[in-house]
Amino acid sequence: MSGTEVKRSVVAPGVRLGQVSFVWRPWLVGVTLLLVAATFLVFCLSIGVGEFPIGLSRVIATVLGGGERVDQFVIMDLRMPRALAGLVVGIALGVSGALTQSIARNPLASPDILGITGGAGAVSVFLVTVSGGAAAAVESTVGLSAAALAGGLGTGLLVYFLAWRRGIDGLRLILIGISVSAVMEAITTWLLVTADIKDVARAQAWLVGSLDDRSWGEVRTALWCTLVLLVVASCAAFQFKPMHLGDEVAAGLGVRYTAVRAVLLLCAVLLAGVAVSAAGPVPFVALVAPQVAMRLARCPTPPMVASGLVGALLLIGADLVARTALPIALPVGVVTAAIGGPFLVYLLVRANLR
Amino acid sequence: MSTECITETEAGAQGLARLAAKDVTVGYGGRNVIDGLDVAIPPGVITTIIGPNGCGKSTLLRTLTRLLKPSRGTVVLDGEDIVKLRTRDVAKKLGLLPQAPVAPEGLTVSDLVARGRHPHQSWLRQWSSDDAGVVERALAMTGVSDLADRPVDSLSGGQRQRVWISMTLAQGTDLLLLDEPTTYLDLAHAIDVLDLVDDLHESGCTVVMVLHDLNLATRYSDNLIVMRAGSILAQGHPRDVITAELLDEAFGLRAAVVDDPVGDRPLIVPIGRTHVQLDQIP
């Protein structure tokens, strides 16, 4: 047992580029590159589909900067915002889910379950139904987006402080999240029942989650917010690896875990809030994407980049199915719920088997 | 720093101590578990904290590792107040293994041990050949090199504990604090883990641990700290400390202390109410 000679290398090889060095994980890199390719393909496919179909090669040419004048107009001006919204919302949801699941060390801890999405929904519906008929200003989508973001952030903070007992325990976070989520759902239902029927229809359409009628302005805002949050998250993510081993081990390894967790949780809540404000509370993507990414990349914990890509792939793919599978176009949330519901059952059954 | 003297006994050892608590008071939510305690950890030996349930032995260990912040007093690591040190710098000097840690499902042994290098890494420099070498040595020292590719959750309790100790070793500190490293292990695996701890001590580590089993503590430690109700009742070599009177005082345990037939330390034989031949008690 004291053999100091090691015959073969038992630890992961490293890569060194000047001052930068990291662990070389060929499988993870390969899966990530494949996901990038697949996402780009579905992205272009989604742009090509519509009343005026455009072939995949023409879409790719136009997206990469070339293409004919007509294609440029249809693709860049008309269809790009929707596709880009799908991409950004998918990435934001995927990364947000990966962060919350890692923080709680539990696959059930997604922004949906933690009440963040529900809170964003409730505040938005409040805006549409209570003040919607009256004030024209808040009718605007910008007001709705801001309300969703504020609702998500407020609910996230509420759950965090309710779950705080000299520290954050993953299971307690989830249980509090489910309770707060239920309260938010109840408020939403109550608002819908008491509201004017015209507002209800509008609120309902928004609540399912949809990428319809996105404008460049909205997409641009969501894109920049997501980019900034991803940069912050990736800076803090280095401190994150020891935290998968539990708070005390992380502390022993020199991580100020309360601060790191607070920053990352805030990132996760804001990412989910941005996603909801851009597309409505699209269900289950944040829950499913990190778990799928984990299995594809064969990682014991949700990989951040791959989770975002799977989220995008899932959302754009679901939107594509929603628009083409049936004679009438469905909102994307219907499709993600159809995929996500069974997946949640699978996770629960698997958790019970252990 | 060395001029700061502790008024209590053991002053000779205090001067050399790398880790010491000075007049610390610490507790949870307003209730003090430890009140005005002084202790110094002698270098190069295995120190074991023993005491009845709830006496504050884990609290003391957690205070020494900065997991708990004392409401009064200081913990001194290499002459500096541990609260004023950066968390990362503490982690470069002091390795800590908490009680019953849990790894994520599917995490491999080599990945877990590699995470022990965290205090030596940065955002840009996440993995170097130094790291690889240290991790390989840590795996070899704990005899788990052959398990490197296995998921931690597929291992037996004893193997798993070896792997966690290996992670603490990869941290590269010569000061190790282990909170009940034998919890949930059967006796054979407990002995196995403690033999490993003794190997580490032989290779120059200073070890502080909390143990429940008095005979294992006696066998494997050079320095015992016996606690009761938040204060230290006795401290010293097991041969000098372990007596029938002390066991009664600390634990309320009636026991005979005899010579260990296979070791050079005392052996504690508990005396209960039944199954005891009273005329045999020495």
Side-chain angles (χ1 to χ4, degrees), chain A residues 116-130:
Chain A
I116 297 160
T117 334
V123 174
S124 306
V125 170
F126 175 80
L127 197 71
V128 173
T129 55
V130 173

Side-chain angles (χ1 to χ4, degrees), chain B residues 49-280:
Chain B
I49 308 171
I50 57 172
N53 291 336
C55 72
K57 48 189 192 298
S58 275
T59 304
L60 175 58
L61 195 84
R62 291 160 59 87
T63 308
L64 289 174
T65 59
R66 210 171 85 154
L67 280 179
L68 286 175
K69 195 175 175 294
S71 55
R72 204 186 68 218
T74 51
V75 171
V76 178
L77 172 63
D78 286 338
E80 287 178 272
D81 184 349
I82 202 168
V83 177
K84 290 180 184 147
L85 291 170
R86 287 173 62 217
T87 315
R88 178 172 286 263
D89 292 337
V90 173
K92 284 179 183 168
K93 292 180 168 182
L94 183 154
L96 156 73
L97 185 57
Q99 216 178 108
V102 181
E105 199 189 343
L107 188 77
T108 62
V109 169
S110 61
D111 198 349
L112 174 65
V113 176
R115 291 183 193 210
R117 296 302 295 160
H118 186 80
H120 305 275
Q121 295 165 341
S122 65
W123 200 85
L124 287 177
R125 217 187 59 80
Q126 299 202 5
W127 191 249
S128 70
S129 48
D130 284 359
D131 292 331
V134 174
V135 168
E136 285 188 356
R137 277 200 298 283
L139 288 166
M141 265 184 90
T142 49
V144 292
S145 300
D146 293 340
L147 307 173
D149 297 326
R150 294 261 303 273
V152 177
D153 49 285
S154 73
L155 305 179
S156 74
Q159 289 172 328
R160 210 175 295 171
Q161 196 61 351
R162 280 172 164 275
V163 169
W164 280 104
I165 292 175
S166 185
M167 186 214 74
T168 317
L169 280 183
Q171 213 172 320
T173 66
D174 57 356
L175 190 56
L176 293 178
L177 281 83
L178 315 172
D179 195 354
E180 300 206 21
T182 58
T183 314
Y184 305 132
L185 298 185
D186 60 44
L187 191 54
H189 284 122
I191 292 282
D192 185 52
V193 164
L194 290 173
D195 275 337
L196 169 62
V197 171
D198 203 60
D199 289 342
L200 303 179
H201 153 244
E202 290 295 327
S203 68
C205 285
T206 301
V207 180
V208 186
M209 58 183 172
V210 171
L211 284 182
H212 252 298
D213 189 301
L214 297 180
N215 276 320
L216 291 181
T218 307
R219 173 76 68 78
Y220 282 95
S221 334
D222 313 292
N223 182 39
L224 278 182
I225 296 174
V226 187
M227 291 185 70
R228 196 193 62 181
S231 54
I232 293 177
L233 213 55
Q235 180 177 357
H237 194 279
R239 267 195 298 270
D240 307 326
V241 168
I242 295 294
T243 60
E245 295 74 37
L246 177 95
L247 293 170
D248 186 35
E249 199 185 343
F251 296 89
L253 172 75
R254 203 169 148 229
V257 176
V258 298
D259 286 336
D260 186 342
V262 297
D264 59 350
R265 311 271 170 92
L267 183 70
I268 299 160
V269 182
I271 303 170
R273 269 192 306 110
T274 56
H275 306 295
V276 179
Q277 291 155 311
L278 289 171
D279 56 315
Q280 292 288 313

Side-chain angles (χ1 to χ4, degrees), chain A residues 177-193:
Chain A
I178 290 175
S179 324
V180 171
S181 208
V183 173
M184 293 301 163
E185 302 263 320
I187 293 174
T188 306
T189 310
W190 176 68
L191 286 170
L192 289 177
V193 166

Side-chain angles (χ1 to χ4, degrees), chain A residues 132-224:
Chain A
V138 285
E139 279 279 313
S140 72
T141 10
V142 175
L144 202 58
S145 296
L149 192 58
L153 185 60
T155 318
L157 291 177
L158 180 69
V159 170
Y160 188 78
F161 285 115
L162 285 177
W164 179 273
R165 292 279 176 286
R166 282 202 315 250
I168 285 288
D169 171 68
L171 196 59
R172 196 167 51 226
L173 195 66
I174 292 172
L175 291 175
I176 300 271
I178 290 175
S179 324
V180 171
S181 208
V183 173
M184 293 301 163
E185 302 263 320
I187 293 174
T188 306
T189 310
W190 176 68
L191 286 170
L192 289 177
V193 166
T194 51
D196 183 84
I197 192 72
K198 273 191 304 223
D199 295 333
V200 171
R202 196 172 156 228
Q204 284 283 19
W206 185 84
L207 272 176
V208 183
S210 162
L211 293 174
D212 293 341
D213 307 324
R214 294 302 106 174
S215 75
W216 263 111
E218 296 165 74
V219 173
R220 211 168 280 131
T221 313
L223 185 66
W224 282 114

